[in-house]
Amino acid sequence: MGLSVNLRLLRERSETLEGELATEEWASDFNDELVVFASPLRYRIEAELQGENLFLQGPLSVTLDCTCGRCLKTFQTTVTASEFAAFVPLEGEDALTSAGDFGDLTPLLREDMYLALPTNPVCNPECRGLARAAKSQEIRPEKGPNDSPSPWAALDRLSL
Ligand SMILES: [Zn+2]
């Protein structure tokens, strides 16, 4: 499935492709513990042929459920690749993947969108994470079986 464009029709006139791609259609191989897709991939792409090349341009966006890498809180964020653009030859080694008249745009969208995803999501740039909780534990005075006089106290007295 994914997103394809009819190249034969594109020879006659350029086209605007607008819609959504379900996660399994474009990112089925994506696997990240901290980032989960919470919406389809939304696209609005101008497609046109320039000679024997396909030119694509337009914004892509997707909503993510992220886990903060510092405090492990979950939060939602939307990532937009507003500058998405691709210029792909129809023939040769780097040619667009196509079947008959249909060129497959999915790999192009995937590549750009993966690059736009956060590699280390943080709920807030100011997030102090778990360090804060650990610190308040340090301050808390320890009580319990270990609360005996330091063995060094005896040595200190001897050294006098
Ligand atoms: Zn956080």
Side-chain angles (χ1 to χ4, degrees):
M1 285 297 288
L3 177 62
S4 62
V5 64
N6 187 321
L7 296 167
R8 195 167 47 82
L9 293 182
L10 218 52
R11 292 202 179 278
E12 289 158 26
R13 60 185 176 87
S14 55
E15 205 180 329
T16 303
L17 309 164
E18 188 165 8
E20 297 183 337
L21 276 180
T23 302
E24 59 268 25
E25 291 187 76
W26 74 280
S28 55
D29 65 336
F30 187 78
N31 183 20
D32 189 314
E33 285 182 0
L34 300 181
V35 178
V36 174
F37 296 109
S39 80
L41 175 65
R42 297 174 286 263
Y43 58 85
R44 197 182 69 240
I45 298 168
E46 305 290 335
E48 67 175 85
L49 285 180
Q50 296 182 356
E52 287 304 303
N53 300 291
L54 174 64
F55 180 63
L56 304 169
Q57 187 176 34
L60 312 173
S61 78
V62 68
T63 302
L64 308 172
D65 279 333
C66 294
T67 302
C68 175
R70 294 183 195 161
C71 71
L72 303 180
K73 207 176 4 177
T74 55
F75 63 100
Q76 207 164 68
T77 186
T78 296
V79 171
T80 303
S82 53
E83 307 284 319
F84 169 73
F87 192 70
V88 198
L90 300 182
E91 284 171 24
E93 256 181 58
D94 302 318
L96 181 74
T97 311
S98 58
D101 288 335
F102 290 91
D104 184 8
L105 308 186
T106 318
L108 306 169
L109 306 191
R110 180 187 300 128
E111 190 178 322
D112 248 62
M113 221 44 229
Y114 278 11
L115 288 174
L117 297 176
T119 49
N120 187 14
V122 175
C123 65
N124 175 326
E126 309 281 295
C127 176
R128 296 176 60 192
L130 296 170
R132 194 175 177 184
K135 203 165 187 178
S136 66
Q137 269 178 357
E138 273 167 36
I139 295 166
R140 192 180 304 150
E142 281 190 23
K143 288 266 161 67
N146 294 333
D147 200 22
S148 53
S150 163
W152 303 110
L155 283 177
D156 281 349
R157 256 176 264 130
L158 284 175
S159 66
L160 283 172

